[in-house]
Structures are given as C-alpha cells and as structure tokens.
Amino acid sequence: MLHSVLKSSRFLYPHRETLGLTSTISGCVCHSAFSSMKETNSKVDSREPCITDSLSVSGNGATSSMSVKSTPEIEKKFVHHVYNAIAPHFSSTRFAKWPKVAAFLSSLPLGSLVLDAGCGNGKYLGLNDDCFFIGCDISSSLIKICSDRGHEVLVADAVNLPYRTGYGDAAISIAVLHHLSTENRRIKAIEELVRVVKKGGLVLITVWAVEQEDATLISKWTPLNEKYVDEWVGPGSPRARAPSSVSLESIPESEESRSGEHMNVCNEPNVSRDLEEEKNIKNQQEYFVPWHLPYHRAEISGASADALAAGLAIKDDKKGAVVYNRYYHVFSEGELERLTTGINNARIVDQFFDKSNWCIILEKTV
C-alpha cells in the first residue's frame, strides 16, 4: 500500500520542476511522461524534435558546444528517418530481454527511478515492478508505440536529455551510442547519462562490438569509406567502400625464391592496394546495416514511398522488401572505457562482453 502511495505521489505532482523535466522544452515535439496517454498520442508526429540546452558535467567543457548538439545529416537520414519508417516492424522483432540488462534492472533498490535513454519500443520499461521508469527516444514513431502500451515516455535526443541534474536513481542506454556518428557526440551522450542520475546512481551502457560472435553478419554490412567527423555535418550522402574482389588471405607479405634469396612482393601496386584494403577491413568501424521492411509492412505508412523517392531506401523484389540502411559505429575493445576517461564525476564499476556487445556500468561519484 505504501509503495502504491509513493508511486502516485511521485508521478502525479503537477509541477514540471518536480517531475525533473527541464523548463526549456516547451515547443519541442516532446510528450510529457505525465500527461494523459490520449493527449500524448494525439501529438506524435515525425518532425525533428527541438534541442534543449544542458551543461556538461565532465569538467573538460569540450562537449558542451552546440556543434555537438547539432544532429549530423547522416544521423537524420540513416537513423532518425529509418526508425520512424520501420518502427512497427522493428518493434515486432524486439521483445526478448537481454539477461544481463534484466539482471541490472532487477538489482536496483525498491522505488528506484530509472531513465531509459533510447528506449525503442519500451521492452525494458516496467521490467522491475518495484521501480519507476521514464523512457525517451529520438523516434516519435517508437515513442507512440510506447505510449500506446501505457509507458511514461517522451521524444528526446540522447545528447540532450530533458531531465534535471541528479533526477534519476539509475539510467540505461541499450544499443544507442553506436548510432551517434562522432566521438564527441558519443562522449556527450555518456556525460548526459551521468548528469541525470544522483550521486551513487548507476548507468548501464551497451553498444555493438566490432568483435561479432557471428562473423558472417559483417559481410552483410556496407563499410563506409572513412569515419565521420564534426565538420562533416551538413547535406550529402556518405560514401560506401566496395569490398575487395581479391582474397586477401592468399596474398603473402613476402616469400622465399628458389635460390634462397628473399623476394619482397609488397612493392607491386595491386598487392599494396589489397594489403591496404585488408588493413582497412581490420580497422573498419563505420557501417551501414540493412533493415528489410517487407512490402506488406511498408504499406502501413507513406514513409517508405517518400524514402524510395528520395533515394534513402531501395526495393528488393527478390525478398519482397524495402531495404533501409542504418548507420552504425561499432565499438572496438576498450573504446567504450576510453570514452569515459574524461568524465571526472563517474567511475567504472563493471565492464563485460555480452551477445556481441561491449557493456559498461558507471557509478556517479559527485
């Protein structure tokens, strides 16, 4: 009974400041987690949400610039637009809970307020009945799915979370950071997760790994020519690198001649090219990962027709699907840990590899 009273008093208090939402989000395409579901549903649209200001707490100030908060075109086209278009089909495939994420949420103290940044279809919202959950996502289509299910959600950007500092007891970011196209934006998103939890609060982050357990998956992805950097923000499509037509494993770096003399073959132009290609593949972290939206699913919304007309998707008649590309920066071992080194008010309490994901748990120390 006491638990129910606490829940009601915590979520039904009418003032925005008490709810932890920043006071500068008026005018955004945001859905207050505490408005009625009917009102929330009626406001969902596909416009780009506005960005609210929040201060960096890392102490270095490098990631508080507006350039970091400005969404690069590659994310607008190949993350935001894609997930809005595929939301119902994507949601239908996202129901299984990762055991270690579930274990983290189940371990939280009674009455904890959990902020899920990049909640998708909300599969982790409400997982622990003893905790309170608020979700946010950049995709208004996914947020509508969450609100239709009765979750407390709003549209928000991972690098500009609309919660006051020290609001939540814990925060999670599951398979989100790999959609951010610059290192500064990834650092900023981590800083935001730390900012919005209380001292002693925990933050769980998971990202796709370069080291995929099923190596055949990578062969289905399209590698990008080079990494995206801040100054690339602007119009234009990314360049894709064509796969090598030569088997790299069959090319030796050097070989012994019959006379016993050492013969170096790396000076041949074609060999040098292929060895450079092999180096690129090993260091490759930027990819387009396809999503096949069946024709009958694509008919749900006009978004697919618009995407085809704009060249942001293609038809695959053999598979009967509209194919969208999603941008990913897959993480190498130690990279996620390295991004946290400049955050002075957090420490790593655990890190692990799980289901082709690098995972880290941070504790806010100040």
Side-chain angles (χ1 to χ4, degrees), residues 6-19:
L6 288 173
K7 183 172 182 178
S8 299
S9 64
R10 191 168 192 175
F11 280 161
L12 297 180
Y13 197 89
H15 300 298
R16 178 177 295 276
E17 290 77 10
T18 301
L19 300 177

Side-chain angles (χ1 to χ4, degrees), residues 40-58:
T40 300
N41 294 346
S42 67
K43 294 182 181 179
V44 174
D45 63 30
S46 58
R47 291 177 293 168
E48 206 55 36
C50 72
I51 294 177
T52 63
D53 194 23
S54 58
L55 298 177
S56 168
V57 295
S58 67

Side-chain angles (χ1 to χ4, degrees), residues 101-259:
V101 177
F104 172 83
L105 294 174
S106 298
S107 70
L108 297 175
L110 175 71
S112 294
L113 175 59
V114 184
L115 306 175
D116 186 346
C119 61
N121 69 340
K123 71 176 183 178
Y124 291 112
L125 298 178
L127 184 143
N128 184 345
D129 291 335
D130 293 328
C131 296
F132 311 111
F133 290 80
I134 303 176
C136 67
D137 200 281
I138 197 66
S139 169
S140 57
S141 297
L142 287 171
I143 286 299
K144 184 180 187 306
I145 291 172
C146 291
S147 64
D148 288 345
R149 293 175 175 177
H151 296 305
E152 308 287 0
V153 291
L154 65 159
V155 173
D157 194 330
V159 301
N160 288 279
L161 296 178
Y163 310 116
R164 70 167 182 256
T165 298
Y167 180 53
D169 298 295
I172 62 174
S173 172
I174 309 303
V176 176
L177 260 63
H178 51 229
H179 287 310
L180 302 179
S181 58
T182 70
E183 182 169 293
N184 280 342
R185 283 173 61 77
R186 294 188 280 271
I187 293 173
K188 177 60 176 173
I190 297 173
E191 289 177 342
E192 280 290 272
L193 290 164
V194 173
R195 179 185 68 80
V196 299
V197 299
K198 300 173 182 177
K199 179 182 178 181
L202 297 178
V203 174
L204 169 63
I205 302 170
T206 77
V207 293
W208 279 21
V210 170
E211 303 83 356
Q212 289 288 303
E213 293 172 352
D214 182 357
T216 62
L217 284 177
I218 298 181
S219 65
K220 300 175 183 178
W221 303 348
T222 303
L224 301 186
N225 234 8
E226 52 189 293
K227 292 183 178 180
Y228 278 78
V229 292
D230 288 332
E231 56 264 32
W232 287 32
V233 175
S237 299
R239 298 186 293 274
R241 176 169 55 77
S244 173
S245 59
V246 181
S247 175
L248 300 175
E249 295 179 352
S250 65
I251 302 174
E253 293 188 6
S254 63
E255 61 182 23
E256 298 292 332
S257 67
R258 290 182 180 179
S259 64

Side-chain angles (χ1 to χ4, degrees), residues 4-35:
S4 299
V5 172
L6 288 173
K7 183 172 182 178
S8 299
S9 64
R10 191 168 192 175
F11 280 161
L12 297 180
Y13 197 89
H15 300 298
R16 178 177 295 276
E17 290 77 10
T18 301
L19 300 177
L21 300 180
T22 58
S23 60
T24 57
I25 63 173
S26 59
C28 294
V29 187
C30 299
H31 313 293
S32 170
F34 309 95
S35 62

Side-chain angles (χ1 to χ4, degrees), residues 178 183 186 207-212 227 282-286 329-339 351-353 356-359:
H178 51 229
E183 182 169 293
R186 294 188 280 271
V207 293
W208 279 21
V210 170
E211 303 83 356
Q212 289 288 303
K227 292 183 178 180
K282 288 180 178 179
N283 296 330
Q284 183 70 40
Q285 291 183 261
E286 318 294 314
H329 168 88
V330 289
F331 281 64
S332 59
E333 183 176 4
E335 182 178 359
L336 187 55
E337 175 187 5
R338 178 177 59 79
L339 294 184
Q351 52 189 320
F352 51 92
F353 183 82
S356 298
N357 282 254
W358 290 114
C359 312

Side-chain angles (χ1 to χ4, degrees), residues 326-365:
R326 297 171 293 162
Y327 168 80
Y328 279 79
H329 168 88
V330 289
F331 281 64
S332 59
E333 183 176 4
E335 182 178 359
L336 187 55
E337 175 187 5
R338 178 177 59 79
L339 294 184
T340 69
T341 55
I343 303 178
N344 300 325
N345 61 338
R347 69 181 186 93
I348 298 172
V349 296
D350 196 9
Q351 52 189 320
F352 51 92
F353 183 82
D354 183 44
K355 296 184 179 298
S356 298
N357 282 254
W358 290 114
C359 312
I360 197 168
I361 297 177
L362 303 174
E363 180 186 11
K364 186 171 183 177
T365 57

